[in-house]
Amino acid sequence: MLSLHHHHLPSTTNAKPQFPQTTTNLRHSTTFPKTLAPKLKPKPYITKSLLQWNRKPQLSGETPRVVVVTSGKGGVGKTTTTANIGLSLARLGFSVVAIDADVGLRNLDLLLGLENRVNYTVVEVLNGDCRLDQALVRDKRWSNFELLCISKPRSKLPIGFGGKALTWLVEALKARADGSGTGAVSPDFILIDCPAGIDAGFITAITPANEAVLITTPDITALRDADRVTGLLECDGIRDIKMIVNRVRTDMIKGEDMMSVLDVQEMLGLPLLGVIPEDSEVIRSTNRGYPLVLNKPPTLAGLAFEQAAWRLVEQDSMQAVMVEEEPKRGFFSFFGG
Amino acid sequence: MASIWTVEFRSLSVRPYSSIPTTTTNHRIRITNGISKSLVIRTHQFKQHCFTSIAKWNHQLVTSTPMQHLLLNRNPGTNFAIWVCVAVVVVVFVAAVKGFSRKKERPGSVADLVRRGQLRSDRRGISRPLKYEDPFNNPMVKVSKSNSSVEMCGKVYRLAPVTLTQEEQAVHQRRRSRAYEWKRPTIFLKEGDSVPPDVDPDTIRWIPANHPFATTAMDIDEDFAQRNVNQKHGVPFRIQAEHEALQKKLEALQNEENLNKLVIDPTNVKEIERPFNSNTRLNDHAEKTSLNDQAKEPSSPILDSGPNHFESAPSPGESKP
């Protein structure tokens, strides 16, 4: 869950990182000096920031970043990831609009605890029953986070302009800062929570996206679907695809009952955005309608989501993963304690 | 183990008031715990001794000086012992009260749950926002000096480097492009629909007729929808259209009602019988409107159409372009 970079590696991916040697430092790739000037002498490795949250992340890429959170298989944590990364981004100071593109089975409002405030959806906007700004639900906890639902559970989106409607929405959100006078700004991030499957809902959700976050769990069913979805995304022209491996249990990995994160990466060949450990607090926070990243004190999964959000901002990927829990070394360890 | 409590009332040092000549007696109370072999003899002696001691004590109390003298003239050691006893009693009482109050909140109350750690006091309800004080200073994560392990939430994890290379990524992309040849569907057709002539058959997504998307009727065209999405100010299109339609309907209804009143309705005979009064009312209203809007000519058709007419007092916002 940490990003480890070498200061003077020519590329972070074309060579095996010499880790965990003493020359390895925790810093971010955006600080690499990209110059063709010959280096006179090798500089010592400098740790710019030991931990990623010691500074505000630098937003890279063209805004608004339109990111679709998808998986193929259901129940792997797309909506949980959207909610937590969205609120993490808001906490980091970025303006975020989360779109629940699950037409029939929306849940993002529940996870965010905003279910009672969704009066209008995109369907009403399209029909002219309300304006777009009236359909956006602003979170009271973090006012730079807004939720937009595609439809109410029983209403149906017209088949003809599912994808087009999302593209219009993104364009309208981009243009929001142009003199609307309401203090609304163009969002930095538009997160689209994609429905499961590769049906019309999936096609609708990925239409306006420039990049994708693929959620998977370390089991073969989710991996097969993830591979297929990755193929479809690549065919559709979305090249910036990173994955989050969810519900990882280090104890099972140690007992070789679960694929490790590196095994998953070897099978899918995608850069890692985050590794989320299995955490009972996820279910608790889901039921409370209070995203995990707002828990105090933070939980393991919440910290992992924060780190993933951090990397998303900087278009970074993980260079080191947590593999197993080290045995505690205490006074009683001699006795097996 | 034969353990008995042997209670001996020996004497209690009570010093009588000096001016009153009384016999000085010594009474002590001693409590010892021990093992006695001659249990019977000692018990007998104890009984006798108790009787005599208590009798003497009672006699002493009755015949001795009043209590105030007694209290004033105790020796300091006894005074201290009494105060210690009082303090102990007070402490025991306070502890008992505390225990009782704890017992009161024990059976599952929220305060009890908070005290026991089952429920966090700062997580009750979502009205109060929970925020990190500083999202950029998280003390929960510590990386070891050698960067080989990380401590998160009190657990130490070993770190392993990611070994994925650009070449491996490219290999996977090529594999997927071969395995999943896919064109994004640009048109969705219900099963049974005919294919339009200018459409690539590969980009058609056939959807079952009972699919939620397929069963939705599109009652608004795309241009309208796009205009609605881009609308930033003012009344939404549908609301405005419904409002206008309602206004027209109301207008039509009012016209009909007026017509009926004038022509058909025979119940308004009273109004017809009193044209003077109604005319004065109408004239009053006309004066008010002329005062409000000086530009209007007094002989406007408002008088003919009545005060409830839609066009009687049009607000500036309702004027149509």
Side-chain angles (χ1 to χ4, degrees), chain A residues 73-96:
Chain A
K73 187 177 177 293
V76 294
K78 291 181 292 296
T79 310
T80 308
T81 304
T82 309
N84 282 290
I85 286 188
L87 272 178
S88 289
L89 292 171
R91 282 189 62 235
L92 293 172
F94 299 103
S95 174
V96 182

Side-chain angles (χ1 to χ4, degrees), chain A residues 13 24 53 91 126 128-129 131 156 161 164 175 207 227 235-236 268 290 298 319 321 323-324 326, chain B residues 130 132-133 135-136 138 147 156 158 160 162 165-166 172 175-176 180 184 216 218 222 228 232 234 238:
Chain A
T13 48
T24 309
W53 40 67
R91 282 189 62 235
L126 292 171
D129 292 327
R131 296 190 310 270
K156 294 161 186 172
F161 40 87
K164 285 180 199 167
T207 303
D227 193 58
C235 288
D236 200 50
L268 292 178
Y290 213 82
Q319 299 299 313
V321 293
V323 283
E324 62 184 18
E326 284 197 341
Chain B
L130 289 179
Y132 289 146
E133 286 78 14
F136 307 115
N138 197 327
N147 286 332
V156 181
R158 192 167 64 82
V162 168
T165 60
Q166 294 278 13
H172 277 283
R175 173 184 64 79
R176 277 192 286 261
Y180 312 117
R184 169 197 281 277
T216 305
M218 195 161 50
E222 285 189 25
N228 292 335
K232 288 181 183 174
R238 180 68 63 98

Side-chain angles (χ1 to χ4, degrees), chain A:
Chain A
M1 279 167 232
L2 293 167
S3 214
L4 281 86
H5 290 269
H6 298 268
H7 196 176
H8 293 300
L9 279 178
S11 167
T12 53
T13 48
N14 63 3
K16 186 176 179 180
Q18 294 165 12
F19 178 85
Q21 294 174 355
T22 53
T23 54
T24 309
N25 286 309
L26 283 155
R27 59 179 299 281
H28 192 260
S29 59
T30 52
T31 54
F32 276 46
K34 290 186 178 177
T35 172
L36 296 174
K39 293 165 188 169
L40 297 174
K41 58 178 182 179
K43 291 179 181 175
Y45 293 102
I46 301 166
T47 304
K48 286 284 176 65
S49 66
L50 185 65
L51 296 174
Q52 286 200 337
W53 40 67
N54 288 345
R55 60 183 172 82
K56 185 171 178 170
Q58 294 173 345
L59 180 60
S60 61
E62 191 182 343
T63 56
R65 302 255 306 270
V66 186
V67 184
V68 62
V69 181
T70 184
S71 72
K73 187 177 177 293
V76 294
K78 291 181 292 296
T79 310
T80 308
T81 304
T82 309
N84 282 290
I85 286 188
L87 272 178
S88 289
L89 292 171
R91 282 189 62 235
L92 293 172
F94 299 103
S95 174
V96 182
V97 173
I99 300 177
D100 192 346
D102 205 335
V103 175
L105 303 167
R106 73 160 203 234
N107 280 320
L108 187 56
D109 54 335
L110 272 177
L111 258 79
L112 293 164
L114 300 173
E115 68 273 14
N116 292 331
R117 296 182 53 207
V118 180
N119 295 320
Y120 294 122
T121 62
V122 172
V123 170
E124 278 83 36
V125 176
L126 292 171
N127 285 335
D129 292 327
C130 70
R131 296 190 310 270
L132 176 59
D133 59 307
Q134 291 172 317
L136 286 162
V137 181
R138 191 178 290 272
D139 196 318
K140 286 179 181 170
R141 296 163 291 201
W142 294 95
S143 59
N144 47 351
F145 182 89
E146 287 170 308
L147 171 71
L148 181 64
C149 295
I150 285 281
S151 68
K152 287 177 180 170
R154 286 178 190 172
S155 63
K156 294 161 186 172
L157 189 71
I159 189 172
F161 40 87
K164 285 180 199 167
L166 273 191
T167 312
W168 298 335
L169 284 171
V170 169
E171 293 299 324
L173 289 170
K174 270 185 197 175
R176 215 155 50 121
D178 301 344
S180 61
T182 55
V185 292
S186 176
D188 299 314
F189 284 90
I190 297 174
L191 299 181
I192 302 171
D193 183 23
C194 183
I198 51 171
D199 212 344
F202 168 76
I203 296 161
T204 301
I206 67 170
T207 303
N210 301 321
E211 51 191 297
V213 174
L214 187 86
I215 314 296
T216 186
T217 50
D219 56 87
I220 53 169
T221 53
L223 284 178
R224 178 194 274 180
D225 292 357
D227 193 58
R228 174 126 171 83
V229 163
T230 310
L232 301 187
L233 290 170
E234 285 169 351
C235 288
D236 200 50
I238 300 174
R239 293 283 167 181
D240 189 357
I241 307 170
K242 293 192 177 71
M243 70 169 173
I244 288 180
V245 186
N246 197 9
R247 307 189 71 172
V248 174
R249 286 184 59 174
T250 51
D251 55 335
M252 287 183 74
I253 292 171
K254 194 177 180 183
E256 296 191 344
D257 294 320
M258 181 181 272
M259 272 183 277
S260 74
V261 177
L262 296 179
D263 291 338
V264 172
Q265 193 177 32
E266 194 181 333
M267 289 178 75
L268 292 178
L270 291 172
L272 269 169
L273 188 69
V275 177
I276 315 297
E278 175 89 13
D279 196 340
S280 61
E281 199 65 32
V282 174
I283 297 172
R284 215 168 288 155
S285 70
T286 302
N287 291 336
R288 286 174 59 231
Y290 213 82
L292 204 61
V293 291
L294 298 183
N295 271 10
K296 189 180 162 186
T299 61
L300 209 57
L303 288 174
F305 276 123
E306 275 195 342
Q307 287 283 291
W310 189 286
R311 288 187 205 100
L312 186 70
V313 173
E314 300 200 335
Q315 292 185 325
D316 192 11
S317 62
M318 292 178 78
Q319 299 299 313
V321 293
M322 300 194 318
V323 283
E324 62 184 18
E325 196 175 341
E326 284 197 341
K328 286 181 182 175
R329 308 215 181 279
F331 177 74
F332 293 105
S333 61
F334 179 75
F335 304 102

Side-chain angles (χ1 to χ4, degrees), chain B residues 116-170:
Chain B
R116 279 165 32 202
Q118 302 283 341
L119 187 69
R120 290 181 62 93
S121 60
D122 57 346
R123 288 188 191 177
R124 294 169 54 195
I126 57 169
S127 57
R128 194 164 64 87
L130 289 179
K131 294 177 181 178
Y132 289 146
E133 286 78 14
D134 183 5
F136 307 115
N137 183 19
N138 197 327
M140 303 297 288
V141 181
K142 294 168 191 166
V143 181
S144 66
K145 285 180 182 175
S146 62
N147 286 332
S148 61
S149 64
V150 62
E151 184 182 340
M152 292 177 82
C153 297
K155 291 178 181 176
V156 181
Y157 293 91
R158 192 167 64 82
L159 289 173
V162 168
T163 56
L164 184 75
T165 60
Q166 294 278 13
E167 287 78 18
E168 285 172 356
Q169 281 190 51

Side-chain angles (χ1 to χ4, degrees), chain B residues 295-312:
Chain B
K296 281 184 181 175
E297 54 185 26
S299 60
S300 65
I302 294 168
L303 289 173
D304 297 328
S305 56
N308 289 330
H309 194 269
F310 173 71
E311 290 177 2
S312 60

Side-chain angles (χ1 to χ4, degrees), chain B residues 21-250:
Chain B
T22 51
T23 55
T24 305
T25 53
N26 288 327
H27 297 273
R28 286 187 301 168
I29 300 170
R30 198 176 71 187
I31 300 171
T32 56
N33 183 12
I35 302 167
S36 173
K37 289 180 181 176
S38 56
L39 188 65
V40 179
I41 299 165
R42 293 202 70 176
T43 310
H44 184 68
Q45 284 177 353
F46 163 70
K47 275 182 180 175
Q48 279 190 341
H49 195 77
C50 279
F51 285 139
T52 52
S53 298
I54 290 167
K56 281 180 182 176
W57 168 249
N58 283 335
H59 181 73
Q60 170 69 32
L61 282 179
V62 170
T63 58
S64 66
T65 58
M67 282 303 286
Q68 53 186 356
H69 297 294
L70 188 140
L71 287 171
L72 285 170
N73 294 289
R74 283 180 314 219
N75 67 7
T78 314
N79 199 5
F80 176 74
I82 287 171
W83 280 116
V84 166
C85 288
V86 168
V88 167
V89 167
V90 167
V91 167
V92 168
F93 179 73
V94 169
V97 167
K98 269 197 170 181
F100 182 70
S101 62
R102 276 191 183 181
K103 272 186 182 177
K104 270 179 77 177
E105 69 182 35
R106 191 171 295 277
S109 65
V110 174
D112 180 48
L113 287 175
V114 171
R115 189 181 57 77
R116 279 165 32 202
Q118 302 283 341
L119 187 69
R120 290 181 62 93
S121 60
D122 57 346
R123 288 188 191 177
R124 294 169 54 195
I126 57 169
S127 57
R128 194 164 64 87
L130 289 179
K131 294 177 181 178
Y132 289 146
E133 286 78 14
D134 183 5
F136 307 115
N137 183 19
N138 197 327
M140 303 297 288
V141 181
K142 294 168 191 166
V143 181
S144 66
K145 285 180 182 175
S146 62
N147 286 332
S148 61
S149 64
V150 62
E151 184 182 340
M152 292 177 82
C153 297
K155 291 178 181 176
V156 181
Y157 293 91
R158 192 167 64 82
L159 289 173
V162 168
T163 56
L164 184 75
T165 60
Q166 294 278 13
E167 287 78 18
E168 285 172 356
Q169 281 190 51
V171 166
H172 277 283
Q173 280 185 3
R174 280 198 296 274
R175 173 184 64 79
R176 277 192 286 261
S177 67
R178 281 196 302 271
Y180 312 117
E181 290 178 0
W182 187 67
K183 274 187 185 175
R184 169 197 281 277
T186 53
I187 184 164
F188 297 88
L189 292 176
K190 274 189 279 188
E191 285 175 352
D193 286 354
S194 59
V195 180
D198 55 341
V199 170
D200 181 7
D202 289 343
T203 59
I204 295 173
R205 172 58 66 102
W206 293 99
I207 289 181
N210 60 353
H211 192 276
F213 279 20
T215 52
T216 305
M218 195 161 50
D219 60 342
I220 187 166
D221 69 339
E222 285 189 25
D223 292 337
F224 260 127
Q226 192 170 5
R227 204 182 306 159
N228 292 335
V229 169
N230 289 321
Q231 186 180 3
K232 288 181 183 174
H233 305 284
V235 183
F237 159 74
R238 180 68 63 98
I239 303 292
Q240 193 170 3
E242 284 179 2
H243 184 68
E244 284 171 3
L246 201 66
Q247 276 181 340
K248 281 178 185 171
K249 199 175 175 182
L250 274 171

